[in-house]
Amino acid sequence: MATPLERWVEEQAGLAEPESIYWCDGTEEEARKIVEAGLTKEKINGHSVFHELNRSSFPGSYLHRSHPTDVARTEHLTYVCHPDKVTAGPNNNWMPPLEAKEKLSRLSKGCMRGRTMYVLPYMMGHPDSPYAKACVQLTDISYVAVSMRIMTRLGKGVVRKIGGSENFVRGFHSVGDLDPEKRFIMHFPDENFVWSIGSGYGGNALLGKKCFSLRIASWLGLKEGWLAEHMIIIGIEDPEGRITYVVAALPSACGKTNLAMLQPSIPGYKIWTVGDDIAWMNVGPDGRLWAINPETGLFGVAPGTSLKTNPNMVRTLKAGTFYPTLYTNTALDADRNEPWWEGRDGPVPENVLDWQGRRWDHLQQDSKAAHPNSRFTAAISQCPVVSREFNNPKGVPISAIIFGGRRTELIPLVYESFGWQHGVFSAARMGSETTAAAIHSIGALRRDPMAMIPFCGYNMGDYFGHWLDIGKKMKDPPGIFFINWFRRDEDGKFIWPGFGENIRILKWIINRTNRKAGARETPIGLVPRPGDIDTRGLDVPAEKLEELLEVNPGEWDRETEDAGKFFEKFGDRMPAELWEEFNKK
Ligand code: OXD
Ligand code: MN
């Protein structure tokens, strides 16, 4: 008798009508075959899905050029279909589940004709972890099949694990005809189901990532008492060899991958990478917060990645095991057959093709060769500083939670909240300037609580309440901190050097958690005095550092007023405790 999984795959195939169905087993040999299909048979926009890059300098690496309209997450086409609109909240697009399914069934009828339907069984989290979830995604494009193999623990063991159970997360994905008018990413949280059509872009198409690990998982977390967050997880080793684990949430394309594998400028410190995008966090039996990274790969923004900004990422990309490594919408150095992007090491090559494969003239002002949201996809096991705890099914214990954003003005370089409730309030009012990771105007300030505005799978008023409840479950909750690397001076230049120097801020944070660093009290929280930060060897004038740590209560009034308007949107779902904090101002 067919299992629920087999029946579901058959049903979906009945709708999509693929030419063939291929169950992936996760082996290397299979990955080579799928890459081969992408090099030869499968096409996107008339071109092959993959182009093989220079075998000796970029072993196992392939360039993928997406459809030009399909280069970032499409938040306006992303829906969370709870039975009622209020549960989805003002932070999500909503459609009644039945109507959504009718619409998607019409668009999906025969969408895989002439194509292979890949069946991808995968785990989010280590299979031995009590927090891991078994999932199956269907897709009709090699790019997604290969990406999922990098980003998740994919293999036939997952089919055995699911067995005759109904308990697995389902994802249906098809690129359809890539028509933006027929593009939708719809979530059905009560059914553990994601349905995505019309896009091949990472956040829209790798359904284990944002769709499941954040939108659906955040809803499961509400029901089951845990948190699914848009956070990196790192271990910070100090000169005595102690490792303190912290999580940090930053909006998309604000330097999360750089922070996750930072090479510290202060001798004796070391960063160990557990995760660069997603953290699932549970309160353990010891009353502490524990975090796992459910993914196994890195899907980072390429432009700006260099030996100066992120040497460990450059090393990861060159590691050359056969996972493989993918480049999406970067430019191509046509002479060397190497990927290229703005900010890569070395001089601009002479003969560059832009992200759409057109000859690029670097003298043409404002024209970028690589798409600003071009990406690499690489296995975390290739990262030279991957934490030895990465595969620990229990995860790592968290001592501090960091929130950050991209703010030209106002927000100090770092500060600590007064306690859990105040920290949740401060994270709820967070704002950040928008980036190219999603399709919208760039550089506009938007409220992005906990860097989760595009990813929270239910009403954010309830989400804030859930954060408050999690705090109550802990004996000694981690401190909540805020960072902003992005303050600019009158000439528009970044004041803080960032990158490896950010260790100075992390050092202050971990010393605060050990009560070894000082701070001064301000209306927004505890801010270091310049002398509280290790500035030995730092090339930032004292007055600039003071400027970065300044809190001007007058300037905060506008910010608070704007945050209040945002809070009002959540009506009676907004927890009273946050209004209480708001009214303290
Ligand atoms: C990502 C994103 O791809 O946040 O990680 O957009
Ligand atoms: Mn992200």
Side-chain angles (χ1 to χ4, degrees):
M1 232 197 33
T3 63
L5 168 58
E6 287 162 347
R7 279 203 302 276
W8 177 69
V9 172
E10 276 311 311
E11 248 169 60
Q12 302 299 305
L15 175 69
E17 301 170 21
E19 184 179 277
S20 58
I21 303 179
Y22 179 81
W23 288 70
C24 290
D25 62 15
T27 59
E28 198 162 292
E29 191 193 327
E30 171 184 275
R32 286 182 203 278
K33 275 210 301 230
I34 301 178
V35 167
E36 191 56 36
L39 286 167
T40 53
K41 192 171 135 229
E42 288 181 13
K43 305 274 181 243
I44 281 275
N45 205 23
H47 305 288
S48 297
V49 170
F50 290 126
H51 162 85
E52 185 171 7
L53 294 164
N54 189 318
R55 278 193 190 180
S56 52
S57 51
F58 283 81
S61 298
Y62 300 86
L63 173 66
H64 168 72
R65 292 191 183 116
S66 75
H67 191 278
T69 66
D70 187 31
V71 290
R73 282 184 290 99
T74 43
E75 292 175 9
H76 59 296
L77 304 174
T78 301
Y79 286 70
V80 178
C81 304
H82 285 286
D84 68 300
K85 191 170 174 20
V86 184
T87 305
N91 47 298
N92 282 304
N93 297 314
W94 177 81
M95 208 183 275
L98 261 178
E99 189 184 324
K101 283 190 182 161
E102 272 165 22
K103 191 177 188 69
L104 293 177
S105 300
R106 273 196 307 277
L107 294 177
S108 305
K109 183 78 198 126
C111 64
M112 295 189 185
R113 265 179 223 151
R115 310 180 72 94
T116 300
M117 181 168 95
Y118 299 96
V119 182
L120 312 168
Y122 67 98
M123 292 301 294
M124 293 315 290
H126 190 282
D128 296 338
S129 171
Y131 313 126
K133 304 277 180 200
C135 315
V136 179
Q137 172 169 345
L138 311 176
T139 185
D140 56 359
I141 179 141
S142 51
Y143 170 74
V144 167
V146 173
S147 300
M148 287 295 285
R149 182 175 183 277
I150 303 168
M151 298 303 299
T152 72
R153 294 171 171 89
L154 188 151
K156 60 174 178 246
V158 183
V159 176
R160 277 197 301 276
K161 201 172 170 88
I162 295 172
S165 158
E166 296 270 359
N167 189 10
F168 60 96
V169 180
R170 298 153 169 81
F172 174 92
H173 170 253
S174 168
V175 287
D177 52 14
L178 290 162
D179 177 352
E181 297 296 312
K182 298 191 220 147
R183 181 173 295 159
F184 289 100
I185 298 93
M186 303 256 198
H187 304 70
F188 302 88
D190 285 337
E191 297 166 50
N192 280 335
F193 180 40
V194 184
W195 194 332
S196 164
I197 181 150
S199 167
Y201 174 73
N204 295 336
L206 313 182
L207 303 185
K209 198 171 181 56
K210 307 298 183 183
C211 298
F212 172 52
S213 288
L214 291 176
R215 296 195 192 97
I216 302 264
S218 59
W219 174 244
L220 289 176
L222 175 72
K223 290 192 297 181
E224 298 168 5
W226 54 281
L227 291 169
E229 296 298 326
H230 191 206
M231 288 176 167
I232 66 166
I233 312 170
I234 52 175
I236 307 166
E237 183 173 331
D238 66 18
E240 282 78 49
R242 254 190 321 262
I243 302 182
T244 307
Y245 292 94
V246 308
V247 286
L250 291 159
S252 310
C254 289
K256 280 188 27 243
T257 304
N258 293 346
L259 187 59
M261 51 189 79
L262 172 144
Q263 187 155 297
S265 63
I266 316 182
Y269 281 83
K270 203 159 177 171
I271 297 294
W272 297 102
T273 313
V274 184
D276 85 321
D277 196 38
I278 294 169
W280 285 355
M281 298 194 287
N282 281 267
V283 178
D286 58 356
R288 293 190 72 181
L289 194 61
W290 290 77
I292 65 163
N293 168 13
E295 302 189 284
T296 53
L298 309 161
F299 178 64
V301 177
T305 305
S306 69
L307 282 171
K308 177 172 168 272
T309 62
N310 193 342
N312 288 318
M313 192 64 229
V314 173
R315 288 175 199 128
T316 303
L317 294 175
K318 299 278 205 141
T321 56
F322 191 86
Y323 253 96
T325 299
L326 305 182
Y327 295 84
T328 305
N329 294 335
T330 60
L332 182 73
D333 173 343
D335 293 330
R336 293 185 187 76
N337 192 26
E338 289 182 353
W340 190 81
W341 51 80
E342 279 74 14
R344 224 199 111 183
D345 300 292
V348 177
E350 255 168 46
N351 193 0
V352 172
L353 300 183
D354 75 4
W355 62 278
Q356 293 186 69
R358 301 171 303 199
R359 190 158 296 281
W360 180 69
D361 173 5
H362 73 280
L363 297 175
Q364 202 187 315
Q365 265 202 340
D366 290 339
S367 114
K368 300 266 188 243
H371 188 277
N373 192 38
S374 55
R375 301 275 180 148
F376 45 72
T377 317
I380 198 168
S381 57
Q382 292 183 182
C383 173
V385 293
V386 65
S387 163
R388 58 175 175 268
E389 300 298 329
F390 171 72
N391 274 317
N392 187 334
K394 260 177 44 183
V396 292
I398 298 304
S399 300
I401 299 177
I402 304 172
F403 291 106
R406 183 181 285 270
R407 293 293 296 265
T408 306
E409 293 170 344
L410 186 75
I411 312 289
L413 182 57
V414 60
Y415 66 97
E416 181 183 0
S417 61
F418 295 121
W420 188 265
Q421 179 171 309
H422 178 245
V424 173
F425 161 74
S426 307
R429 73 163 171 204
M430 260 166 70
S432 190
E433 287 143 26
T434 49
T435 67
I439 292 182
H440 44 39
S441 64
I442 294 172
L445 181 69
R446 78 162 167 178
R447 295 286 140 208
D448 190 355
M450 284 85 168
M452 278 289 276
I453 197 81
F455 307 123
C456 180
Y458 61 97
N459 191 316
M460 265 199 146
D462 297 337
Y463 169 79
F464 301 144
H466 183 46
W467 263 85
L468 293 171
D469 288 343
I470 292 281
K472 290 176 197 137
K473 281 170 49 175
M474 282 183 275
K475 275 215 290 279
D476 182 20
I480 299 183
F481 295 82
F482 294 83
I483 52 171
N484 177 26
W485 316 140
F486 298 96
R487 289 272 293 259
R488 292 183 192 250
D489 62 16
E490 313 74 53
D491 302 328
K493 291 216 192 70
F494 290 116
I495 308 176
W496 178 248
F499 307 111
E501 303 293 8
N502 291 336
I503 189 64
R504 300 174 190 275
I505 306 308
L506 296 177
K507 180 177 172 185
W508 181 76
I509 290 174
I510 58 171
N511 282 345
R512 287 294 298 166
T513 68
N514 299 326
R515 296 178 176 76
K516 284 201 313 208
R520 71 185 172 102
E521 197 171 318
T522 76
I524 62 160
L526 301 156
V527 182
R529 293 157 296 212
D532 294 321
I533 295 179
D534 181 347
T535 52
R536 277 168 300 173
L538 176 70
D539 191 18
V540 175
E543 70 279 6
K544 288 284 175 199
L545 191 60
E546 260 171 45
E547 189 183 328
L548 285 168
L549 296 171
E550 194 176 77
V551 177
N552 181 337
E555 284 176 15
W556 274 86
D557 286 349
R558 231 189 15 223
E559 177 79 1
T560 311
E561 198 185 311
D562 192 54
K565 285 198 199 114
F566 177 72
F567 284 2
E568 275 164 17
K569 289 192 189 160
F570 298 95
D572 59 5
R573 298 287 179 125
M574 197 66 194
E577 291 95 324
L578 295 200
W579 281 120
E580 196 185 292
E581 291 293 333
F582 178 87
N583 289 325
K584 286 187 200 158
K585 298 250 164 96

